[in-house]
Amino acid sequence: MTNAKPTSAAKPKPWTEVATHLVDVAMGRKPADLVIRNGRWVNVHSGEIIPGTDIAVAAGRFAYCGPNASHAIGQGTKVVDAGGRYLVPGLCDAHMHVESGMVTVTEFCRAVIPHGTTSMFIDPHEIANVLGLPGVRLMHDEAVAMPINVHVQMPSCVPSAPGLEHAGAELTVADVAEAMTWENIIGLGEVMNFPGVAANDPVMSGEIAETVRAGKTVGGHYASPDLGLPFHGYVAGGAEDDHEGTRAEDAIARVRQGMKAMLRLGSAWYDVAAQVKAVTEGGIDPRNFILCTDDSHSGTLVHEGHMDRVVRHAISHGLKPVTAIQMATLNTAQHFRLEREIGSIAPGRLADLLIVSDLAQMTIDEVYGRGVRLAKAGKLEIDIPAYDYPPTAKNTVKLGKKLAAKDFDISAPQGANEVRARVIGVIENQAPTRALEADLAVEDGLVAMDRRNDICQIALVERHRGTGGVTNAFVSGFGYVEDCAMASSVAHDAHHIIVVGTNKEDMALAVNRLSEVGGGVVLYSKGKELALVEMPIAGLMSDERAEIVAAKAEQLTEAMRKVGCSLNNAYMQHSLLALVVIPELRISDVGLVDVTTFQKVDLFV
């Protein structure tokens, strides 16, 4: 790694300021800064792979793409021989939350650049739920400073479900209108309050209208399997894309209505395989399909990859390599009205390019951003200075009291020896949950967990205003077999503290520990701390390097296995148990929420 930050990667000049220079380079009147020779041009506009191609770069943009760039080589031109390898546009992640990586925007970029990601469209609604508009501004300003293209979508739903949860902040139509004037806001983040859109809620319709007036993209989030009138009302309300589909029919329905179907492969969301059949088997036009990650934690980023992982996965499920790459480049750029800036190797576009030796496996040898080599052989070659978050972004875990085991007691109805309780059922590798029911014993007036049948306790602890409030319920699917508890201040979307455990003493210890460190995720067993990932920035992000956070996350995963949890990326599923906009059953500071009816329900049936 060098300590010199590439000057041309920092902020490219607008095309209008360099267009005449690009013409001069293309015509051979001036030398290029960089020429890459003898490559196989993956042309996402024509769908071809064109051998024997040279690429000339000037002022951070492509100037010439053709059979021979000798005329653009002069004194000072750097020449790279691709040796017949593939020249692929830099990959774009169309929808994602940096906070899910447990790290800052800077550290996220450090982790994903070697994997070929050169453009990201981030929705910082996690920090917005804790710090409001000032939190969004912090991540916006950090994004502007990056050596790759990090565009920000203004969060739309804070809180995500008004009346069913209380977040740490609230965003208004006026906030959205203000954000639309910021230099790096690309559109409106996922509109999760889909019942509100269908009912013409004035906040939702107002935010969407402000975005459309600004000429920017409206992100969607329709998490219901109902493709009837509520779906049609939602589409009529203005959402332009959706990443919540899980079935081929979901993708087809969205595309037919003029939306972009975003197929996600995150750390725990495996929604590509089923939906891509709409293209591979159903023959639907792939131009309106886009690949994204949504949520990837640091361990996935460091050990498995980012958008390269998604493209590989899509190819393995039947897509032609060029088609999969189109879904992760050009289709994304067109959707966000950035086709003249990113998404392809073509004159005038930012010189974001990958040299790839194996296309189907997405084996990335070199990564260029804005004409500067950023990574080679999986190693970052530039330094990205850490972004300094102010004290106002920290110390956000406010419990109001020290919790004890008795705070997690669930009293049974008077005189009951047994109760029938609602139970949140975790579904591996999917965001939705099941609404289950179970008969549970009563001991000394308190409802007991049923570890033999994989039913343990879940609690949501209020952490924004220090109310001391605790909502108790039951959850199934984690498979814990030991006395243990895991607590996390990452609890989409309101981001209180969620703790899941088989032992109330461990539950109290875990929650109190997060109060001490300012947030994060921690696992206790029999009074002993087994793993801790500190996340002091808004209780959502670490201020450490991505590889350090990944190592701590791996320790957490291993500790969870030791106490019986074998779910794939169980932490991600844990963090979504309070997401009251995805069916079927969730927990919030208000109580248990039936997300099929958007109503609070009693714990006991």
Side-chain angles (χ1 to χ4, degrees):
M1 180 186 297
T2 67
N3 289 322
K5 186 176 182 180
T7 53
S8 61
K11 191 170 179 62
K13 291 182 179 180
W15 174 84
T16 52
E17 294 183 18
V18 298
T20 56
H21 180 62
L22 297 178
V23 172
D24 285 338
V25 172
M27 293 295 295
R29 293 189 289 260
K30 290 184 179 179
D33 300 323
L34 168 71
V35 169
I36 300 176
R37 311 205 70 175
N38 188 27
R40 299 184 194 181
W41 180 15
V42 178
N43 192 309
V44 292
H45 290 287
S46 64
E48 302 170 281
I49 298 175
I50 306 170
T53 297
D54 289 359
I55 304 293
V57 174
R61 295 177 180 271
F62 297 115
Y64 170 88
C65 307
N68 188 343
S70 298
H71 62 285
I73 298 175
Q75 187 174 6
T77 301
K78 181 179 180 180
V79 179
V80 174
D81 185 0
R85 291 173 293 175
Y86 299 93
L87 307 179
V88 176
L91 303 178
C92 309
D93 191 344
H95 173 73
M96 53 162 287
H97 309 285
V98 164
E99 303 97 318
S100 294
M102 306 178 177
V103 294
T104 61
V105 177
T106 300
E107 287 305 309
F108 203 102
C109 289
R110 286 186 70 254
V112 303
I113 287 171
H115 293 288
T117 300
T118 59
S119 296
M120 303 190 300
F121 296 82
I122 71 172
D123 180 355
H125 72 216
E126 321 302 352
I127 201 169
N129 272 274
V130 180
L131 298 175
L133 193 62
V136 178
R137 185 74 207 206
L138 284 172
M139 293 189 73
H140 168 278
D141 292 351
E142 184 181 12
V144 170
M146 294 299 101
I148 61 173
N149 318 305
V150 184
H151 298 283
V152 181
Q153 294 177 289
M154 174 60 186
S156 62
C157 299
V158 178
S160 63
L164 296 177
E165 66 177 357
H166 300 94
E170 184 175 347
L171 295 180
T172 65
V173 175
D175 291 329
V176 170
E178 177 186 334
M180 290 300 147
T181 67
W182 299 353
E183 64 173 304
N184 200 33
I185 293 292
I186 197 68
L188 190 66
E190 53 181 313
V191 182
M192 295 176 286
N193 186 2
F194 53 90
V197 174
N200 277 329
D201 174 86
V203 173
M204 291 295 94
S205 59
E207 290 182 356
I208 293 170
E210 291 292 345
T211 305
V212 174
R213 288 190 191 101
K216 300 183 178 181
T217 304
V218 179
H221 171 118
Y222 183 80
S224 171
D226 183 356
L227 297 176
L229 292 183
F231 170 69
H232 289 271
Y234 182 74
V235 178
E240 297 177 71
D241 60 57
D242 190 22
H243 58 274
E244 287 296 335
T246 60
R247 308 166 300 180
E249 57 261 43
D250 295 330
I252 293 169
R254 285 150 176 77
V255 169
R256 284 175 175 169
Q257 295 293 321
M259 301 176 81
K260 298 295 189 296
M262 289 188 175
L263 317 185
R264 64 182 172 185
L265 178 72
S267 290
W269 326 133
Y270 285 58
D271 298 325
V272 173
Q275 293 187 91
V276 82
K277 291 179 181 178
V279 175
T280 59
E281 298 178 9
I284 300 297
D285 191 329
R287 290 179 298 175
N288 293 307
F289 288 74
I290 292 172
L291 297 175
C292 70
T293 65
D294 198 357
D295 297 295
S296 295
H297 72 61
S298 56
T300 301
L301 300 177
V302 171
H303 300 302
E304 299 180 42
H306 189 230
M307 284 306 298
D308 58 331
R309 170 177 176 260
V310 185
V311 172
R312 266 194 306 274
H313 181 77
I315 293 170
S316 74
H317 284 279
L319 282 183
K320 295 178 181 178
V322 173
T323 304
I325 291 168
Q326 286 171 325
M327 291 182 183
T329 56
L330 181 61
N331 294 7
T332 304
Q334 290 175 333
H335 179 55
F336 288 103
R337 302 165 176 83
L338 290 174
E339 184 184 350
R340 289 185 63 94
E341 286 289 294
I342 63 172
S344 67
I345 298 172
R349 278 68 170 180
L350 292 175
D352 302 334
L353 172 147
L354 316 177
I355 298 180
V356 174
S357 52
D358 185 324
L359 201 61
Q361 293 300 317
M362 282 304 293
T363 304
I364 300 171
D365 298 338
E366 299 182 33
V367 179
Y368 290 80
R370 304 169 186 173
V372 174
R373 194 170 74 185
L374 306 180
K376 182 179 181 180
K379 302 294 183 183
L380 194 68
E381 290 195 325
I382 60 166
D383 182 59
I384 310 176
Y387 188 80
D388 187 24
Y389 276 78
T392 53
K394 301 178 182 180
N395 300 313
T396 61
V397 177
K398 303 166 185 175
L399 301 184
K401 67 177 184 180
K402 187 173 183 177
L403 271 71
K406 62 182 176 61
D407 290 303
F408 304 103
D409 287 345
I410 298 177
S411 297
Q414 187 70 31
N417 294 318
E418 185 179 79
V419 297
R420 188 161 186 81
R422 290 184 169 87
V423 178
I424 301 170
V426 173
I427 305 173
E428 187 168 19
N429 290 330
Q430 288 195 7
T433 64
R434 293 189 179 94
L436 307 177
E437 295 180 3
D439 295 319
L440 300 176
V442 175
E443 301 171 0
D444 299 324
L446 302 177
V447 182
M449 296 176 247
D450 187 357
R451 192 185 302 177
R452 288 179 301 177
N453 290 307
D454 191 21
I455 297 173
C456 57
Q457 200 160 318
I458 181 172
L460 184 140
V461 181
E462 201 281 331
R463 68 108 160 171
H464 298 304
R465 299 173 180 83
T467 65
V470 179
T471 302
N472 287 299
F474 297 98
V475 65
S476 176
F478 286 103
Y480 293 128
V481 296
E482 303 285 346
D483 286 348
C484 64
M486 189 170 82
S488 171
S489 58
V490 178
H492 305 265
D493 270 332
H495 295 293
H496 295 290
I497 289 177
I498 289 178
V499 56
V500 172
T502 60
N503 177 279
K504 297 175 186 177
E505 286 77 13
D506 285 333
M507 293 173 75
L509 287 169
V511 173
N512 292 330
R513 181 66 167 138
L514 293 186
S515 178
E516 293 173 6
V517 301
V521 56
V522 65
L523 179 64
Y524 270 80
S525 180
K526 301 175 183 176
K528 181 181 178 181
E529 182 181 297
L530 300 186
L532 170 67
V533 184
E534 303 94 329
M535 301 185 213
I537 301 172
L540 301 172
M541 296 177 285
S542 172
D543 51 9
E544 295 184 294
R545 283 284 167 103
E547 54 268 28
I548 295 174
V549 179
K552 291 183 176 182
E554 181 58 35
Q555 183 181 355
L556 173 69
T557 300
E558 184 57 34
M560 293 178 72
R561 290 193 191 103
K562 288 180 179 178
V563 294
C565 181
S566 60
L567 281 180
N568 177 51
N569 283 304
Y571 160 73
M572 297 293 286
Q573 311 228 220
H574 175 110
S575 70
L576 258 66
L577 292 173
L579 187 50
V580 291
V581 292
I582 297 183
E584 297 176 336
L585 188 64
R586 305 280 164 169
I587 190 171
S588 83
D589 61 312
V590 171
L592 271 184
V593 178
D594 181 338
V595 191
T596 62
T597 62
F598 280 87
Q599 293 182 349
K600 178 184 173 183
V601 293
D602 292 333
L603 175 59
F604 303 127
V605 179

